[in-house]
Amino acid sequence: MYEAYSSALKGQEEVRVEEVELTRPQRRILKVSVCPIFDDHGEFLGIINVFNDITAEREIDRLKTEFVSLVSHELRTPLSSIKAYAEILLKKPDREIDQRVEFLNIINEETDRLTRLINDILNITKIEERRIDLERMPVDICEVIEKSVSAHRSSAQRKDITLDVVIQKDIPQIWGDADTLTQVLGNLLNNAIKYTPEGGEIRVSAEYLHEDSRPSGEVEVRVADNGVGIPSEHLEKIFDRFYRIDRPFIGDQTGTGLGLYFCKYIVELHGGRIWAESQEGKGSTLVFTLPAKEKGEVRDAPLYGVQADDLLSYSKEMREKVSILVVDDDKRTRDFLRYHLQEEGFTVHEAEDGLKAVELARSIKPSVIVLDTVMPGMDGYEVLEALKEDQETKQIPVVILSGSEGSQVAVELGAAHHLVKPIARRTLIKAVDEILSKSVSY
Ligand code: ADP
């Protein structure tokens, strides 16, 4: 600052900008611009100082840098496990079946971890841009719990952690979005496993709350562990964006600090509440409530999405008659899509680019087209447009596969479904089944 003022006082005509950090009464970072002023005859009149408080910008810069280094760590750790176990398997593919299954399970879990990270980041972007669309459907929260728990069983087992589920009978349905609620439970379970030492216990419970023995209208879900616990001063802050408690003794267990922020956002969008209870060193319980659906209460149907009862079950013979055209420039993706679909009994055709896809769609008239968006030449959206403009192909339902969100574009162009990669087998088959159950031509 001294230099800025002395050059201004000497009448040097430039504007000097400096950053100054104040420590008292509170920490502030100021951008100070120092500018000498002169009258019409060039006589020095004095100095104008402009102070900009840039504390918030600097804090965001710091968080961004920290976030990038966290994310790269979070990417590297699962990637190195995947690579290591794939190499071990490749080196001696004929090892014991138990060992092969164990290594493949690790690879599978680490891929889930990568998917979670990408979901966290995408979710945060959606929250910031207020782009989260929730379906409002009657949801059986017990099914959501069962599904999330079974997805986490093997990672709990790996740490020898017991995972119990205690669900009260007759819990009413809630209005909500089963997929995002599954992500909420997934985040809570993932944390419980992460912050509980080997041999610990996790209990997921659900009950319909009562006040003075009358139903309160709220369903409560608790995820309790007997792990490291959360110090009381952090209990509320852990739901803030990027907030993490640094605990060096937990070793490799870092995270992005986005999981609970997402949980809070989603629970509150559902009209519920979320909080943490803990005794440090003894364990933590993450609790959330959701408003119960009243009997006979009906709300607007979602954009698309089929009630479970509407789904027909298809026999193998019926499925063989269904031909599915898979369009993706990546051979590996085509291979696994074909593999999953053929395993379910469907007849599969393939196209590796947009032009071939349009040509095949005209000639074989598949029952469903599964279409990647990013392809060289004609991309997926262009293919979709071309299909919808053509009388011969416009009726064919299309499932769009993409690496990011953008369901709105896909829906506007007439896609029947939009799936985000990586695609789990179950999600793919469910989407195809939903389409077929509605399709008249089938
Ligand atoms: P992270 O990706 O760091 O796990 P979260 O938003 O999911 O981010 O959690 C924020 C912080 O809350 C974590 O850094 C962790 O210290 C703490 N936390 C969350 N769940 C638990 C739990 N079950 N036991 C102990 N600490 C927890």
Side-chain angles (χ1 to χ4, degrees):
M1 279 311 300
Y2 175 78
E3 260 186 49
Y5 281 113
S6 58
S7 75
L9 286 169
K10 280 186 214 141
Q12 289 167 1
E13 270 190 52
E14 66 202 278
V15 180
R16 300 283 292 253
V17 182
E18 303 268 335
E19 251 182 61
V20 184
E21 186 171 339
L22 305 180
T23 46
R24 275 179 298 170
Q26 5 164 241
R27 187 178 165 270
R28 292 268 141 222
I29 302 172
L30 301 178
K31 188 169 101 184
V32 188
S33 310
V34 182
C35 174
I37 46 165
F38 305 90
D39 67 10
D40 294 346
H41 311 290
E43 203 61 30
F44 175 68
L45 293 177
I47 296 171
I48 293 184
N49 278 312
V50 179
F51 295 89
N52 281 317
D53 185 344
I54 54 165
T55 320
E57 278 104 313
R58 286 290 169 269
E59 181 60 10
I60 289 169
D61 288 346
R62 190 187 63 76
L63 284 173
K64 265 194 209 149
T65 318
E66 199 180 294
F67 180 67
V68 170
S69 83
L70 270 172
V71 168
S72 29
H73 176 270
E74 285 286 294
L75 281 172
R76 266 181 224 285
T77 319
L79 273 178
S80 35
S81 296
I82 293 172
K83 182 146 181 61
Y85 284 100
E87 277 177 352
I88 296 176
L89 281 168
L90 280 172
K91 204 160 179 206
K92 192 166 171 268
D94 57 347
R95 61 185 65 240
E96 297 275 298
I97 181 81
D98 286 358
Q99 247 189 2
R100 269 187 283 161
V101 170
E102 185 192 335
F103 295 163
L104 286 169
N105 266 328
I106 298 177
I107 292 178
N108 201 20
E109 272 169 26
E110 295 296 318
T111 333
D112 288 344
R113 186 166 160 189
L114 283 174
T115 312
R116 269 199 306 275
L117 174 69
I118 293 165
N119 282 342
D120 272 1
I121 297 170
L122 287 177
N123 283 336
I124 241 50
T125 323
K126 283 200 269 179
I127 292 178
E128 318 268 83
E129 295 173 7
R130 309 204 174 279
R131 274 196 301 116
I132 288 213
D133 301 323
L134 292 187
E135 279 195 359
R136 302 256 172 219
M137 309 242 318
V139 174
D140 182 349
I141 195 72
C142 313
E143 273 176 23
V144 172
I145 294 176
E146 297 287 358
K147 191 170 150 193
S148 317
V149 167
S150 68
H152 286 80
R153 272 218 190 278
S154 57
S155 52
Q157 258 163 17
R158 202 168 300 290
K159 282 181 81 177
D160 215 5
I161 291 175
T162 332
L163 194 47
D164 283 335
V165 180
V166 184
I167 296 178
Q168 192 195 43
K169 273 202 187 123
D170 304 327
I171 294 195
Q173 289 185 311
I174 53 123
W175 280 112
D177 184 283
D179 285 346
T180 44
L181 289 174
T182 310
Q183 282 187 51
V184 167
L185 258 155
N187 280 347
L188 300 183
L189 279 167
N190 195 42
N191 279 347
I193 297 171
K194 188 153 77 167
Y195 300 110
T196 299
E198 303 229 336
E201 282 170 28
I202 297 172
R203 167 175 293 210
V204 185
S205 57
E207 66 171 307
Y208 190 26
L209 291 182
H210 282 72
E211 266 165 28
D212 303 327
S213 62
R214 290 177 51 204
S216 72
E218 277 186 317
V219 173
E220 185 183 86
V221 179
R222 306 176 77 86
V223 179
D225 63 60
N226 64 351
V228 295
I230 304 167
S232 56
E233 68 271 25
H234 297 287
L235 280 176
E236 283 183 24
K237 294 191 196 137
I238 52 173
F239 296 96
D240 289 352
R241 196 171 54 143
F242 299 120
Y243 196 87
R244 299 176 48 244
I245 311 171
D246 273 329
R247 286 189 267 216
F249 58 90
I250 301 181
D252 187 32
Q253 301 298 341
T254 59
T256 53
L258 293 176
L260 290 181
Y261 173 67
F262 173 74
C263 294
K264 183 170 161 63
Y265 187 84
I266 294 300
V267 168
E268 290 181 353
L269 268 188
H270 278 84
R273 298 169 291 133
I274 185 165
W275 68 94
E277 298 167 358
S278 175
Q279 258 188 302
E280 209 183 337
K282 297 212 167 144
S284 322
T285 305
L286 273 288
V287 194
F288 67 88
T289 62
L290 296 168
K293 168 180 172 288
E294 282 171 28
K295 275 211 177 91
E297 188 188 357
V298 178
R299 298 199 190 173
D300 286 345
L303 190 56
Y304 47 70
V306 179
Q307 306 274 349
D309 314 344
D310 299 345
L311 289 180
L312 303 178
S313 70
Y314 299 97
S315 68
K316 189 135 177 115
E317 300 80 69
M318 286 168 89
R319 283 189 165 177
E320 267 164 21
K321 288 192 213 122
V322 175
S323 62
I324 299 183
L325 173 61
V326 168
V327 189
D328 201 307
D329 58 319
D330 181 52
K331 183 172 177 314
R332 290 206 174 150
T333 310
R334 285 202 313 275
D335 284 350
F336 89 75
L337 291 172
R338 189 191 57 239
Y339 175 78
H340 287 328
L341 291 166
Q342 279 178 343
E343 276 243 306
E344 290 294 319
F346 297 116
T347 304
V348 180
H349 302 271
E350 291 177 41
E352 65 277 6
D353 61 49
L355 278 179
K356 188 161 176 212
V358 176
E359 224 176 86
L360 272 179
R362 282 204 196 109
S363 58
I364 56 171
K365 304 262 167 29
S367 315
V368 179
I369 299 177
V370 179
L371 176 63
D372 182 33
T373 44
V374 183
M375 292 187 292
M378 198 174 182
D379 74 19
Y381 294 120
E382 287 165 338
V383 174
L384 183 57
E385 264 185 299
L387 293 170
K388 295 295 160 193
E389 276 166 14
D390 187 332
Q391 285 303 324
E392 287 193 49
T393 52
K394 68 190 253 198
Q395 301 301 340
I396 307 174
V398 177
V399 178
I400 282 280
L401 306 184
S402 77
S404 64
E405 311 307 303
S407 54
Q408 202 48 40
V409 185
V411 172
E412 275 164 18
L413 289 175
H417 249 293
H418 172 258
L419 305 179
V420 180
K421 291 179 182 179
I423 290 145
R425 176 197 175 96
R426 214 181 29 223
T427 321
L428 172 72
I429 304 302
K430 190 174 160 228
V432 171
D433 270 349
E434 281 186 9
I435 289 173
L436 293 175
S437 70
K438 292 196 234 170
S439 157
V440 238
S441 61
Y442 176 66

